[in-house]
Amino acid sequence: YLLSKDTTARWFAFVSYGLMVMTAGYIIATTGHAQSPFIVLWMVLGLFCGLFGLIGFGPVAIIDAAYIAYLFSSNHADASQTITFVIVFVVPLVISVLIWRHKDAEADDSTKAYSALARELNQVANKSEIVINGIADGVIAIDSSGTIQLINPAAQSIMGWGKQDAMELDYRSVFKLFDNKDQPLTEPADPIQQVLHGSKSVTRNDLSLATSTGKKMIISLLISPVGQAGSGAIIVFRDITGDVVENRQKAEFISTASHEMRTP
């Protein structure tokens, strides 16, 4: 029964069943035919012929009919044993059809439900991928060990890393962060590690990111946990170097203008 549910082992199960049928038939034929004490073995095997569908039921039904005809024609049985033959040969086949057809129907329903769920999940995944790929900000998804599982086109463009090069790597070898003193972040100061070991989102606007060519840019960074604490994180970031430089220039201009206005 277990092997018949496995597509690769189904034929092995069917051949094994066929050998058991032939063995039981030989034993019964050599130990008294209808009076054989092993006739119950045939009944048990008959209950399982429907497991293999028509290819299992058909041969057993034909063997039953041929064997009954042989018994009556060779005077190994008489009309008084008709009820016994019905119980031994026919009833197991009927029960087998009822049992395994019901099981197959349940399996078909389960398969249909699984297929429908798989299609629905695939549609959701495709929609999510379209949305993520269309976001202008960089998006990176990492698992509990910090391995990159997703990187969108914007992130690839910002960092200069191709998808095939970055996938399945530790994020620290791709997403290299530096503090406002241009020093690499230690693990306790790394906001991504803080999210992986906690359950709260972290936002930073004072860190720099090194691209694949070594160029550094100031980024706006949002890290959010995924699922339960430690399950993974989503990193969303964008280059704000231009905004920071512009703000600094405005601050310097205002400071200079204010100084000049106060000075005669």
Side-chain angles (χ1 to χ4, degrees):
Y1 170 73
L2 295 176
L3 289 176
S4 71
K5 299 305 176 184
D6 186 343
T7 304
T8 58
R10 184 174 178 83
W11 281 106
F12 174 76
F14 178 70
V15 170
S16 300
Y17 177 76
L19 291 173
M20 285 190 285
V21 168
M22 288 189 290
T23 303
Y26 176 78
I27 292 173
I28 293 169
T30 56
T31 56
H33 293 284
Q35 288 76 36
S36 172
F38 297 103
I39 200 76
V40 70
L41 180 60
W42 187 265
M43 295 178 63
V44 173
L45 289 173
L47 292 173
F48 284 88
C49 68
L51 175 63
F52 301 96
L54 186 60
I55 196 174
F57 177 84
V60 174
I62 292 172
I63 292 173
D64 282 351
Y67 187 60
I68 292 173
Y70 166 75
L71 290 178
F72 280 107
S73 64
S74 61
N75 297 321
H76 284 96
D78 53 44
S80 64
Q81 294 178 307
T82 302
I83 296 178
T84 301
F85 290 157
V86 169
I87 295 174
V88 171
F89 298 107
V90 178
V91 172
L93 296 183
V94 174
I95 295 175
S96 177
V97 171
L98 295 176
I99 292 175
W100 300 114
R101 185 175 65 177
H102 178 66
K103 292 289 185 183
D104 290 341
E106 289 181 348
D108 289 342
D109 291 342
S110 177
T111 301
K112 291 178 181 178
Y114 173 79
S115 299
L117 179 60
R119 286 195 299 270
E120 185 176 350
L121 291 176
N122 188 49
Q123 292 174 357
V124 172
N126 289 337
K127 291 178 181 178
S128 300
E129 185 175 1
I130 292 172
V131 172
I132 292 173
N133 289 341
I135 295 176
D137 292 347
V139 179
I140 296 175
I142 60 175
D143 60 17
S144 58
S145 62
T147 302
I148 296 175
Q149 301 297 323
L150 179 148
I151 177 170
N152 75 337
Q156 298 171 44
S157 176
I158 294 172
M159 299 190 303
W161 281 83
K163 181 177 180 179
Q164 299 302 323
D165 297 325
M167 290 291 287
E168 300 300 330
L169 291 180
D170 187 282
Y171 79 91
R172 284 165 288 203
S173 61
V174 175
F175 200 73
K176 300 178 180 178
L177 295 174
F178 297 82
D179 60 21
N180 53 13
K181 296 181 180 179
D182 206 26
Q183 296 297 316
L185 293 183
T186 60
E187 185 165 321
D190 187 347
I192 299 175
Q193 287 296 318
Q194 294 172 9
V195 172
L196 285 177
H197 293 93
S199 58
K200 295 182 179 180
S201 300
V202 174
T203 302
R204 297 287 294 271
N205 293 306
D206 58 341
L207 300 177
S208 298
L209 172 68
T211 66
S212 60
T213 60
K215 177 184 176 182
K216 293 180 181 177
M217 63 184 72
I218 303 172
I219 61 170
S220 173
L221 182 64
L222 170 64
I223 310 108
S224 302
V226 176
Q228 298 178 348
S231 298
I234 298 291
I235 306 167
V236 181
F237 63 98
R238 60 187 176 89
D239 182 5
I240 59 170
T241 305
D243 296 336
V244 172
V245 171
E246 183 179 350
N247 289 337
R248 288 176 181 172
Q249 290 175 344
K250 287 180 180 179
E252 291 175 359
F253 173 77
I254 292 172
S255 176
T256 301
S258 176
H259 176 73
E260 291 295 335
M261 291 176 67
R262 289 196 305 268
T263 305

